[in-house]
Amino acid sequence: MHVLRTLPLVALLAAVPLVPALQPAWSQEKPVKKVAKPIARTAYRTAEFRMELRSDTGTLARLSPNAEPAFDFVPGARAAERAEDGYVHLGDLNLRLRAPGGAWQDFASSKKRAPIRKLAARPGTLAAADITASMGAGFPLKVERRWATEGKAVALRFTLTNPGSTPVEIGGLGMPMVFDNIITDRELDTAHAQASFVDPYIGRDAGYLQVTRLNGKGPALLVIPERGTPLEAYRPIAEAAHAEPGDIFTDRSPRGQTSEGFYDWTVASKGFADKEWKNAGEQWNTPTSITLTPGETRTIGVRLVQAPSIRGIENTLVQQARPVAVGIPGYVVPTDMDASLFLKSTQPVIRVESEPAGALTATPAAPINGWARYAVRASGWGRARLSITYADNSVQAVSYFITKPLEQAVADLGRFSTTRQWYDDRSDPFRRGPAVMSYDREANRIVTQDARVWIAGLSDEGGAGAWVAAMMKQLNNPVPEEVAKLERMMNETVVGKLQVASGPQAGAVKKSLFYYEPGQHGDYYDPALNWKNWTAWTKKQSDDLGRSYNYPHVAAGHWVMYRLARNHTGLVKAHDWRWYLERAYQTTVAMMRDAPHYAQFGQMEGDVFVDILKDLKREGMAPEAAEMERLMKGRADHWKTLPYPFGSEMAWDSTGQPEVYAWMRYFGHQPQADETREVILAYDPAVPHWGYNGNARRYWDFLYGGKVPRIERQIHHYGSTLNAVPLFDAFRANPKDTHLLRVAYGGLMGGITNIDQEGFSSAAFHAYPDMMKWDAYTGDYGMGFFGNAYATATYLVDDPTFGWLAYGGNLKQQGGTLRVEPKDSARTRLFVAPAGLWLTLEAGKIDAADYDPASGRLTLTLSGKTRFTPAARLLVETTVAGARAYGVDDAKLERGAYTIPLAGSGTHVTLTPR
């Protein structure tokens, strides 16, 4: 769900009027008090950075790469507005302490600052100070802080000493990590040039933060731990204005869609687990505490290091003697899929342990190119962790998620959504049935009303997500009973109710079927809900046709029905394939006609428009194809003129990029496609953690589609899978760039973790440590499952470092032949990277593929025919410039694909390079 953006929009399409901005209460930015007096700073020049420390507090006020001194990783430009007490900076410290048997007490250096006492600087030390006075009254420890240089790195160290006569337990030890992720008051272009995003690898002693620029360009910044400084937890620092009573670990900067906020690098977290997190799900790592005996000293610290680029992060970690883990195909492992874990460390591995015991089995295999290799197998279901202990007793945590075999997980989703979420109440005053509707997993019932009316209204993202997921599931895995229900929904509820069926606005889509009109339906509405918010749309507001983001959902529904009717026999019965393709086209035209304002931006699921256009061309529907191409080219030509054409109704967003990329590629604007790809990598990381690997940044959509509505970093919201789509395409164009494939597969598989053991699909996982669980609402999950169904595939790769690998399948080498058995949820797509060969089945399934690298020969083994699929439909494409074309012998080419009659089992298809 989107709201109107709070910052200036990018240039509008010609003849598209700018509509007034409607500010929801929770997205309004609060005014901040400006401090007029200048803040004195001391400047330093190190091997890689120009940095400045505030003279009064000794905290970091600037951190600029020497090569780009105008860029600042920290919010130095906001020094005036963030100068007073209560604003955290890099160099502050948060501590939760207790004496034996006592209660926890909190101390924060930023809460009420006191003069620091400067200390003599030793060689290599930039600045040293005793900051004990700033920690607050009654603070029982002594704290010294030092900024130093270590090679090219800048080190920040805190030395904690217990000067008393009794032990002190440290149950909360956090170093605020303050980087310039504030987009507030910035134009979109300015934000891409000046702001940064931070992504954590919460991996204990091997943990780190990567700070990447919004434009995707280097250098990137790494925050890596010194000895004894594990990244045990990544605790959000609450906004002071909305913090719980008594919470002093806060920051006064406003949070919102334009500012995610800051986090603590949390070394010890038991004190939080005992209090604020006691009702949460399991933490990423076991919470611990540190006890300082009388006279004991403990030093903790981090180093700030430059990586030349996002792709250079892992090599930089290796250069810094940090342990590096690479999981293939990632860290979401179905129980029937082989996985690998590669480790590189200066320290030998002593042991690898699974938590829970037996959930993951890591078996040593032959090392390769200096990397240790482990074969990983999974059993059970849910979160798991491998703990890797090295010879120096440091421990690296790699977080995994175990799923059912993917076909089974997807089958569960289809069954659950078309039964438990199936709504067909003939007495419903809003005429929402028959339909798949949003679901509340905690209450285990359909959400028939919510004050955010779209959630119960089948439209927008929070309301359409449930049925879009059910519909997209049929694209690769149709079940006749499910298809029949969804066909009823499209013909009885979508067309004519949600979508205008005829007349001058035919094809236009409403914002919601549910609405708030107490004068008409006064007895229906739950008085416990807040109907006085802007989200309680009236019927007039819900009937509005001007919201383009609603159109791809409906277009995708028609398109899936077209594909099922065209490529299978007897599955779709109410209309023929042409009727559905015409409706998909009509929906596209209506979006441009009736919802032009938001259509200037990339749409989530917008890739479907590209396929609708291609299908119009393949079907010989030339007038429709020409008109659609003209409309889409107008959008693409506009995007081509913008430095960063990724605007939306939001100030910054991560959902328009996939469609922008798709049309840039389609119309041959490769430089703009490349720019889009790099921007995606800026907010879509590759880290050894199932939650953050491929997790495209999102932190506000719980407000609009979740049961718990708050600003919070979301794990595998729909952006993960949608942003995987362009990365997969970019990899197929350049198979040497394996970083793209790793991030894409992380996002693709991340979207599967939202499906629970019965098939309920959650909007996203709550990453804040006071929750650590899936949201109870379906919400906008279906937008992400669109990406999963649209892009899921098996990839056969000859990796320059790790050798032959399969992403999404199990690989065996038999002499000079490679045999891959797809285990992805579709088994309809295969990419053979060395040949640049991209195979897509519109009908039929791949049981196995045998590839001979020497000759380039590929033999597919297809599943047997079924009642609804008597023949396979195979599209063959070479995606790499200069690669040899492939063909299928003795097969009929129809509408750009080979039609292959299927036998009862084991149909073999041989492809040879021409």
Side-chain angles (χ1 to χ4, degrees):
M1 167 68 186
H2 294 257
V3 294
L4 288 173
R5 57 185 294 150
T6 58
L7 297 186
L9 293 167
V10 297
L12 299 176
L13 284 171
V16 177
L18 175 62
V19 297
L22 302 175
Q23 291 283 31
W26 56 41
S27 75
Q28 291 175 348
E29 301 295 343
K30 304 170 184 66
V32 292
K33 182 178 179 180
K34 305 287 185 180
V35 178
K37 66 179 182 180
I39 307 300
R41 308 180 185 188
T42 304
Y44 303 89
R45 182 79 175 263
T46 72
E48 293 188 329
F49 299 105
R50 296 184 184 185
M51 58 179 288
E52 296 176 358
L53 300 178
R54 279 181 50 168
S55 301
D56 55 347
T57 65
T59 54
L60 190 62
R62 177 192 177 189
L63 188 69
S64 300
N66 282 334
E68 291 196 45
F71 176 79
D72 193 350
F73 281 111
V74 300
R78 299 177 185 267
E81 68 189 58
R82 303 191 70 256
E84 297 181 333
D85 291 352
Y87 290 95
V88 295
H89 300 272
L90 197 60
D92 277 318
L93 189 66
N94 292 322
L95 288 169
R96 174 167 285 181
L97 312 173
R98 68 180 176 188
W104 291 113
Q105 292 182 283
D106 295 341
F107 303 91
S109 63
S110 64
K111 180 65 176 177
K112 186 174 178 58
R113 298 189 185 275
I116 62 174
R117 183 169 62 88
K118 293 185 178 181
L119 302 173
R122 297 189 292 267
T125 300
L126 302 174
D130 184 326
I131 67 169
T132 305
S134 270
M135 297 305 300
F139 182 63
L141 302 179
K142 177 183 177 182
V143 180
E144 294 180 353
R145 179 187 61 213
R146 288 176 174 82
W147 294 93
T149 55
E150 290 287 342
K152 293 183 178 181
V154 171
L156 167 63
R157 300 185 180 116
F158 294 94
T159 301
L160 285 67
T161 303
N162 179 2
S165 57
T166 58
V168 174
E169 183 181 5
I170 305 172
L173 197 170
M175 294 174 285
M177 296 286 113
V178 182
F179 299 101
D180 191 2
N181 62 4
I182 306 172
I183 308 173
T184 310
D185 297 329
R186 282 172 165 163
E187 297 278 353
L188 193 63
D189 294 357
T190 305
H192 276 85
Q194 297 180 354
S196 300
F197 288 138
V198 188
D199 284 296
Y201 166 36
I202 310 171
R204 295 182 62 180
D205 294 313
Y208 62 86
L209 305 181
Q210 61 178 56
V211 187
T212 56
R213 302 165 65 181
L214 266 63
N215 58 20
K217 298 177 181 179
L221 176 69
L222 297 180
V223 185
I224 60 177
E226 295 202 314
R227 186 165 181 81
T229 314
L231 184 51
E232 178 173 291
Y234 194 53
R235 191 189 67 85
I237 299 172
E239 181 184 355
H242 300 291
E244 294 295 323
D247 186 358
I248 68 168
F249 300 140
T250 63
D251 180 73
R252 291 171 59 185
S253 299
R255 305 291 190 271
Q257 193 274 328
T258 57
S259 182
E260 180 181 355
F262 310 121
Y263 294 78
D264 262 349
W265 178 300
T266 306
V267 176
S269 60
K270 183 178 184 299
F272 298 110
D274 288 351
K275 296 180 68 176
E276 294 92 340
W277 308 347
K278 63 182 179 182
N279 296 320
E282 182 185 0
Q283 299 299 318
W284 297 125
N285 296 299
T286 302
T288 66
S289 64
I290 301 166
T291 297
L292 290 182
T293 59
E296 187 177 0
T297 292
R298 171 78 176 263
T299 298
I300 55 111
V302 294
R303 295 185 185 184
L304 309 176
V305 179
Q306 279 189 41
S309 65
I310 291 172
R311 290 173 181 79
I313 285 174
E314 288 171 348
N315 284 338
T316 302
L317 291 170
V318 170
Q319 292 166 8
Q320 293 291 320
R322 306 303 307 151
V324 176
V326 174
I328 304 296
Y331 311 94
V332 178
V333 184
T335 53
D336 66 340
M337 188 183 293
D338 297 334
S340 296
L341 181 66
F342 297 91
L343 299 175
K344 192 160 195 175
S345 173
T346 57
Q347 296 286 324
V349 175
I350 300 300
R351 60 183 176 273
V352 180
E353 299 169 291
S354 171
E355 303 170 74
L360 296 164
T361 302
T363 304
I368 184 168
N369 293 327
W371 292 75
R373 180 173 186 169
Y374 292 82
V376 178
R377 294 289 298 187
S379 62
W381 185 90
R383 293 170 53 194
R385 182 171 59 236
L386 284 179
S387 293
I388 302 143
T389 302
Y390 295 98
D392 62 356
N393 290 319
S394 64
V395 178
Q396 177 173 19
V398 181
S399 291
Y400 281 87
F401 196 98
I402 301 169
T403 75
K404 296 180 180 182
L406 295 177
E407 281 190 311
Q408 185 177 345
V410 168
D412 291 343
L413 180 147
R415 182 172 53 253
F416 192 101
S417 60
T418 56
T419 55
R420 302 274 288 273
Q421 294 179 245
W422 182 249
Y423 182 78
D424 195 8
D425 184 353
R426 301 301 175 87
S427 66
D428 177 38
F430 306 97
R431 303 171 63 233
R432 291 170 291 182
V436 175
M437 287 187 61
S438 301
Y439 198 80
D440 181 343
R441 191 58 163 141
E442 289 177 344
N444 272 323
R445 63 170 180 256
I446 289 172
V447 181
T448 55
Q449 57 180 305
D450 191 290
R452 298 161 293 177
V453 298
W454 55 83
I455 290 177
L458 296 179
S459 199
D460 219 275
E461 289 69 75
W467 68 262
V468 169
M471 182 66 71
M472 292 304 302
K473 182 266 174 187
Q474 309 307 317
L475 179 66
N476 303 314
N477 297 284
V479 172
E481 296 80 8
E482 296 171 5
V483 172
K485 285 186 172 183
L486 291 167
E487 191 176 13
R488 279 191 63 200
M489 178 183 173
M490 292 304 295
N491 287 282
E492 298 176 37
T493 303
V494 174
V495 177
K497 295 179 185 177
L498 186 63
Q499 182 177 36
V500 178
S502 60
Q505 291 181 307
V509 182
K510 298 177 182 178
K511 287 167 62 178
S512 174
L513 286 182
F514 185 58
Y515 51 83
Y516 180 62
E517 288 287 358
Q520 297 180 23
H521 311 294
D523 294 337
Y524 189 91
Y525 303 105
D526 184 349
L529 300 177
N530 177 19
W531 299 103
K532 297 186 182 302
N533 206 306
W534 69 272
T535 62
W537 292 338
T538 64
K539 187 176 190 306
K540 180 180 179 181
Q541 291 171 317
S542 291
D543 284 348
D544 179 59
L545 306 176
R547 183 172 174 74
S548 65
Y549 296 108
N550 297 317
Y551 288 70
H553 316 329
V554 175
H558 290 307
W559 177 72
V560 169
M561 284 295 168
Y562 153 73
R563 284 290 182 101
L564 295 176
R566 192 60 162 128
N567 299 309
H568 301 270
T569 301
L571 273 176
V572 177
K573 299 176 180 179
H575 301 287
D576 65 7
W577 63 264
R578 181 178 293 273
W579 190 90
Y580 286 107
L581 184 56
E582 287 173 344
R583 298 288 88 69
Y585 164 72
Q586 182 186 63
T587 307
T588 309
V589 173
M591 179 182 76
M592 299 301 293
R593 181 191 65 224
D594 297 312
H597 175 72
Y598 291 133
Q600 70 182 292
F601 305 123
Q603 311 288 294
M604 68 285 290
E605 308 136 80
D607 290 83
V608 74
F609 296 129
V610 180
D611 273 80
I612 291 169
L613 176 56
K614 289 180 178 179
D615 286 333
L616 289 171
K617 289 185 173 184
R618 289 201 298 164
E619 299 290 2
M621 300 171 68
E624 293 88 347
E627 175 61 10
M628 184 172 175
E629 189 163 72
R630 183 188 68 81
L631 292 170
M632 297 300 106
K633 191 173 187 302
R635 300 168 76 210
D637 287 347
H638 169 64
W639 293 333
K640 183 185 176 184
T641 68
L642 304 175
Y644 301 103
F646 319 122
S648 83
E649 55 191 335
M650 293 295 200
W652 175 87
D653 211 340
S654 59
T655 55
Q657 286 85 343
E659 193 197 1
V660 170
Y661 173 91
W663 288 118
M664 294 298 99
R665 286 272 286 160
Y666 181 88
F667 288 112
H669 305 321
Q670 192 60 45
Q672 287 75 23
D674 294 344
E675 184 80 45
T676 308
R677 178 197 65 213
E678 296 306 295
V679 165
I680 291 172
L681 293 179
Y683 58 75
D684 208 344
V687 290
H689 189 295
W690 73 265
Y692 290 90
N693 188 50
N695 182 41
R697 178 170 303 275
R698 203 73 171 183
Y699 53 88
W700 61 86
D701 263 342
F702 281 139
L703 296 174
Y704 311 120
K707 187 170 184 179
V708 180
R710 65 182 188 179
I711 293 287
E712 175 182 12
R713 184 66 184 274
Q714 297 170 271
I715 295 295
H716 295 308
H717 182 259
Y718 67 71
S720 292
T721 43
L722 287 186
N723 281 278
V725 174
L727 297 183
F728 278 128
D729 181 86
F731 172 74
R732 291 194 298 270
N734 179 17
K736 293 181 180 180
D737 193 348
T738 56
H739 181 85
L740 296 170
L741 180 60
R742 287 173 49 200
V743 175
Y745 228 88
L748 180 82
M749 296 293 285
I752 293 293
T753 65
N754 302 53
I755 304 171
D756 76 10
Q757 287 176 284
E758 291 186 67
F760 166 78
S761 52
S762 167
F765 185 85
H766 287 271
Y768 277 10
D770 65 339
M771 287 199 69
M772 296 294 290
K773 64 180 181 180
W774 300 102
D775 193 83
Y777 271 12
T778 310
D780 42 19
Y781 173 71
M783 287 68 250
F785 193 74
F786 170 92
N788 188 283
Y790 185 88
T792 190
T794 296
Y795 286 75
L796 177 61
V797 178
D798 186 7
D799 188 280
T801 300
F802 304 126
W804 285 103
L805 302 171
Y807 289 72
N810 292 340
L811 179 64
K812 295 179 181 177
Q813 283 190 258
Q814 301 171 335
T817 301
L818 296 143
R819 184 177 181 86
V820 61
E821 297 179 356
K823 298 294 181 181
D824 65 89
S825 63
R827 294 195 291 119
T828 60
R829 304 179 191 95
L830 173 67
F831 183 66
V832 182
L837 178 60
W838 178 227
L839 305 178
T840 305
L841 281 171
E842 293 181 327
K845 299 274 186 179
I846 303 172
D847 285 342
D850 294 281
Y851 176 63
D852 179 2
S855 67
R857 180 186 178 97
L858 180 74
T859 301
L860 301 179
T861 302
L862 304 183
S863 300
K865 66 180 178 181
T866 69
R867 172 186 169 191
F868 301 103
T869 312
R873 293 263 308 151
L874 176 64
L875 281 79
V876 179
E877 180 184 2
T878 48
T879 59
V880 178
R884 292 184 294 176
Y886 273 72
V888 179
D889 296 330
D890 302 323
K892 186 178 180 181
L893 194 62
E894 298 177 315
R895 294 181 288 115
Y898 294 99
T899 298
I900 303 165
L902 295 172
S905 64
T907 300
H908 297 289
V909 180
T910 299
L911 296 95
T912 55
R914 298 297 193 236

